């Protein structure tokens, strides 16, 4: 298979301020930045890099400097020279896409997840008789088991959104749901409204379907020290994004948004539905984090409940138990109008033949009494949030830390565009952490980094100690003043 190709302009956008504040030769700074882009997945494996001459001209540097950076990439195992293809990206050793190096003893802050819920194993034991009864069938159903569809519909109804079984389809996790919706709803060149920052794999799924992304900004809230600058979503920007571009769909995470932790104000939700209806778009609402409430001052019903009989049909909901039960439990769902559910089921056979039966039975069992499951998670997240904010405040008094009421991570403002440098320096300290630009478009968000709160406290402590060591090793003399937040989102 021929490698994919990244153009010089696309690479330039990802590189951002690649020189940064790092000391040493420029070719090593370029090598480090391209290496990070490969490690965190912004440049996929088997991608052909621009020719040395073209990249040098675009960057305004000598070809010798680019050649030296490419040589370092090749010798470190991040590229391979193929006849007729130039330099093609590789992942060294056994490190898979996403940067988790299985050959090393790293603390992993790249995933905002929780350990498996303590009720997962008991639930597995409880459903084994039901599982035995399923073994006489084919085990294949693109819609999902009736008992799980009923449990999902009942959960939405309990939360304030009456839902019938024919409005629910079971998927192999939320990412599968995003990919399937993108493939069915989008054609090449269609516009898709997305938040900036946002979940990077959603960007990838939409782009894989051929979408052109239209960003709307989500700004993290004020710091724990009392900063009350504007935050969240801007109504005028949303109206302009829908009205100016005529999108086919929008992908939004209005509750405990990843990565900022923000929740969309109640007054803005009907406006989003009205704008979507007026412009003929569907709004895909990602609810994977919606019930990870720690102490949010206001509760919200599911998104379609904020619309009237017409506009409510503009919203498609997707959810999963990946954040609430366990990321390894690959079960999710889509709630949509029955016609779209049937269309999605028909299209599904090209990629898979249904969700595993045992996992569906386990999730159905847990959903029937889900509040105790969530209570455990809320207490775990409260402990993790308080510990992380305390440690970050102690080690990094100059950072801007949000008031976090739920979700799985802290979106920390660094006060300087050094996120990629910090992520690289953290690797040398044994910590894997995702640089801010991974959650954005075209190299933005260098002033931010995401710190998870769901790991055990001891692991969080070790990770933040490693992060502090990495931060102290950066060249502090060249950092701009800490109150500069030119790309706050």
């Amino acid at each position: 298979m021929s490698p994919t190709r990244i153009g010089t302009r696309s690479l330039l956008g990802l590189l951002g301020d690649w020189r940064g504040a790092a000391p040493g030769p420029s070719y090593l700074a370029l090598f480090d930045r391209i290496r990070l882009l490969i490690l965190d997945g912004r440049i996929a494996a088997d991608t052909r890099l621009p020719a040395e001459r073209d990249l040098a001209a675009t960057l305004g540097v000598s070809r010798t400097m680019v050649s030296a950076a490419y040589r370092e990439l090749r010798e470190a195992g991040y590229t391979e020279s193929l006849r007729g293809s130039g330099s093609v990206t590789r992942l060294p050793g056994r490190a898979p896409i996403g940067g988790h190096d299985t050959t090393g003893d790293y603390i992993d802050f790249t995933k905002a997840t929780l350990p498996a819920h303590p009720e997962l194993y008991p639930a597995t034991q409880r459903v084994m008789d039901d599982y035995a009864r399923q073994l006489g069938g084919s085990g294949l159903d693109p819609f999902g088991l009736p008992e799980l569809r009923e449990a999902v519909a009942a959960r939405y109804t309990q939360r304030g959104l009456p839902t019938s079984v024919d409005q629910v389809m079971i998927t192999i996790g939320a990412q599968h749901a995003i990919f399937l919706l993108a493939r069915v709803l989008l054609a090449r060149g269609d516009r898709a409204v997305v938040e900036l920052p946002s979940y990077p794999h959603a960007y990838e799924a939409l782009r894989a379907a051929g979408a052109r992304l239209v960003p709307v900004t989500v700004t993290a809230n004020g710091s724990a020290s009392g900063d009350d600058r504007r935050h969240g979503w801007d109504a005028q920007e949303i109206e302009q994004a829908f009205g100016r571009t005529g999108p086919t769909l929008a992908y939004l995470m209005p509750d405990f948004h990843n990565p900022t932790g923000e929740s969309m104000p109640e007054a803005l939700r009907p406006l989003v539905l009205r704008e979507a209806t007026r412009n003929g778009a569907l709004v895909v609402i990602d609810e994977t984090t919606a019930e990870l409430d720690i102490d949010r001052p206001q509760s919200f019903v599911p998104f379609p409940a904020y619309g009237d009989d017409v506009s409510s049909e503009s919203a498609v909901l997707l959810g999963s138990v990946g954040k609430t039960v366990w990321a390894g439990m690959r079960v999710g769902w889509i709630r949509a109008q029955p016609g779209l559910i049937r269309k999605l089921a028909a299209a599904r056979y090209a990629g898979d033949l249904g969700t595993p039966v045992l996992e569906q039975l386990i999730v159905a069992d847990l959903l029937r009494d889900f509040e105790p499951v969530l209570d455990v998670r809320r207490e775990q997240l409260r402990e993790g949030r308080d510990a992380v904010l305390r440690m970050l405040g102690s080690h990094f008094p100059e950072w801007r830390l949000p008031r976090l009421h739920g979700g799985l991570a802290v979106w920390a403002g660094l006060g300087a565009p050094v996120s990629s440098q910090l992520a690289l320096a953290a690797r040398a300290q044994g910590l894997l952490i995702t640089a801010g630009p991974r959650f954005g478009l075209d190299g933005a968000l260098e002033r931010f980094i995401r710190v998870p709160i769901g790991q055990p406290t001891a692991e969080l402590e070790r990770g933040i100690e490693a992060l502090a060591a990495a931060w102290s090793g950066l060249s502090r003399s060249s950092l701009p003043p800490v109150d500069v937040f030119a790309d706050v989102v």
Side-chain angles (χ1 to χ4, degrees):
M1 181 182 296
S2 298
T4 58
R5 183 170 181 251
I6 184 170
T8 53
R9 291 184 124 190
S10 297
L11 180 56
L12 183 64
L14 291 174
L15 287 172
D17 182 15
W18 58 273
R19 290 179 177 87
S26 295
Y27 78 90
L28 288 180
L30 181 59
F31 156 71
D32 269 342
R33 185 56 56 90
I34 296 176
R35 176 168 67 105
L36 179 64
L37 295 173
I38 296 169
L39 282 168
D40 71 10
R42 281 178 276 169
I43 298 177
D46 298 315
T47 297
R48 178 184 173 184
L49 294 176
E52 294 174 3
R53 187 188 305 274
D54 293 341
L55 183 57
T58 301
L59 295 178
V61 298
S62 71
R63 182 177 177 182
T64 301
M65 193 274 281
V66 174
S67 296
Y70 275 27
R71 183 184 65 246
E72 293 290 329
L73 289 166
R74 186 169 57 253
E75 292 178 355
Y78 291 96
T79 62
E80 182 179 345
S81 295
L82 300 180
R83 183 180 296 275
S85 295
S87 296
V88 177
T89 59
R90 295 287 185 258
L91 285 162
R94 294 184 292 147
I97 293 173
H100 180 71
D101 186 351
T102 57
T103 64
D105 182 20
Y106 287 100
I107 305 163
D108 189 1
F109 272 17
T110 65
K111 301 173 183 67
T113 58
L114 288 155
H117 196 284
E119 268 300 302
L120 181 55
Y121 183 66
T124 304
Q125 294 178 305
R126 288 195 296 268
V127 304
M128 292 311 297
D129 288 343
D130 290 337
Y131 185 52
R133 286 190 284 272
Q134 294 283 340
L135 298 180
S138 70
L140 304 177
D141 187 341
F143 292 97
L145 289 181
E147 48 263 68
L148 179 52
R149 296 172 73 198
E150 290 169 1
V152 171
R155 181 67 187 162
Y156 278 124
T157 302
Q158 291 166 7
R159 293 174 56 209
L161 180 66
T163 301
S164 59
V165 172
D166 61 354
Q167 291 177 285
V168 176
M169 175 185 186
I170 307 304
T171 64
I172 310 173
Q175 182 62 30
H176 175 231
I178 298 169
F179 182 83
L180 184 60
L181 284 163
R183 186 159 61 87
V184 169
L185 296 175
L186 290 168
R188 185 158 299 279
D190 284 349
R191 267 77 167 183
V193 172
V194 295
E195 293 152 328
L196 179 70
S198 189
Y199 175 52
H201 298 308
Y203 289 157
E204 292 162 2
L206 296 171
R207 280 173 161 160
R212 299 173 64 181
L213 305 187
V214 179
V216 294
T217 302
V218 181
T219 307
N221 67 24
S223 68
S225 62
D227 186 344
D228 291 321
R229 69 185 72 194
R230 185 190 68 78
H231 62 272
W233 294 254
D234 181 78
Q236 184 176 7
E237 187 179 3
I238 289 174
E239 289 176 334
Q240 290 176 347
F242 277 100
R244 185 182 71 250
T245 66
T248 300
L249 66 78
Y251 169 82
L252 305 176
M253 190 179 293
D255 293 285
F256 306 121
H257 169 263
N258 180 18
T260 68
E262 284 291 305
S263 290
M264 183 181 289
E266 190 170 34
L268 192 52
R269 299 180 184 220
L271 179 144
V272 171
L273 291 172
R274 288 196 304 270
E275 289 300 315
T277 302
R278 181 179 297 124
N279 290 280
L282 282 178
V283 183
V284 176
I285 300 297
D286 187 335
E287 285 203 320
T288 52
T289 57
E291 296 194 88
L292 295 179
D293 189 344
I294 300 174
D295 51 16
R296 185 167 57 179
Q298 183 178 4
S299 60
F300 297 90
V301 294
F303 210 88
Y306 291 97
D308 55 29
D309 291 342
V310 175
S311 63
S312 64
E313 296 185 4
S314 296
V316 175
L317 301 180
L318 62 90
S320 81
V321 293
K323 303 298 187 186
T324 53
V325 176
W326 186 41
M329 184 61 59
R330 305 304 304 149
V331 176
W333 51 83
I334 297 170
R335 184 211 182 265
Q337 293 305 304
L340 178 55
I341 293 293
R342 292 192 294 270
K343 187 175 181 179
L344 293 166
R348 183 172 180 174
Y349 286 113
D352 72 280
L353 300 178
T355 307
V357 171
L358 178 58
E359 284 87 337
Q360 291 188 73
L361 292 170
I362 295 168
V363 174
D365 178 272
L366 291 170
L367 283 180
R368 292 187 188 107
D369 189 18
F370 206 50
E371 285 303 321
V373 173
L374 295 176
D375 287 342
V376 170
R377 290 314 203 191
R378 288 163 182 153
E379 187 55 40
Q380 289 175 322
L381 289 172
R382 178 179 292 106
E383 179 181 342
R385 176 201 61 184
D386 293 348
V388 166
L389 289 177
R390 182 181 66 253
M391 289 184 285
L392 291 178
S394 174
H395 285 289
F396 313 99
E398 66 270 53
W399 285 14
R400 179 172 176 261
L401 305 177
R403 295 185 296 268
L404 188 68
H405 296 297
L408 284 161
V410 172
W411 185 238
L414 308 178
V418 294
S419 182
S420 293
Q421 287 174 248
L422 181 58
L424 281 170
R427 282 180 172 271
Q429 300 294 331
L431 172 67
L432 302 175
I433 192 166
T434 306
R438 184 70 175 98
F439 301 92
L441 303 169
D442 301 325
L445 308 175
E446 276 289 357
R447 296 174 181 273
F448 295 87
I449 203 158
R450 189 187 72 170
V451 182
I453 66 172
Q455 282 93 330
T457 302
E459 185 172 355
L460 293 172
E461 289 175 348
R462 290 196 303 129
I464 292 174
E465 290 286 347
L467 191 63
W471 178 253
S472 67
L474 295 182
S475 177
R476 310 307 297 281
S477 61
S478 56
L479 297 184
V482 297
D483 60 346
V484 177
F485 284 89
D487 60 354
V488 167
V489 293

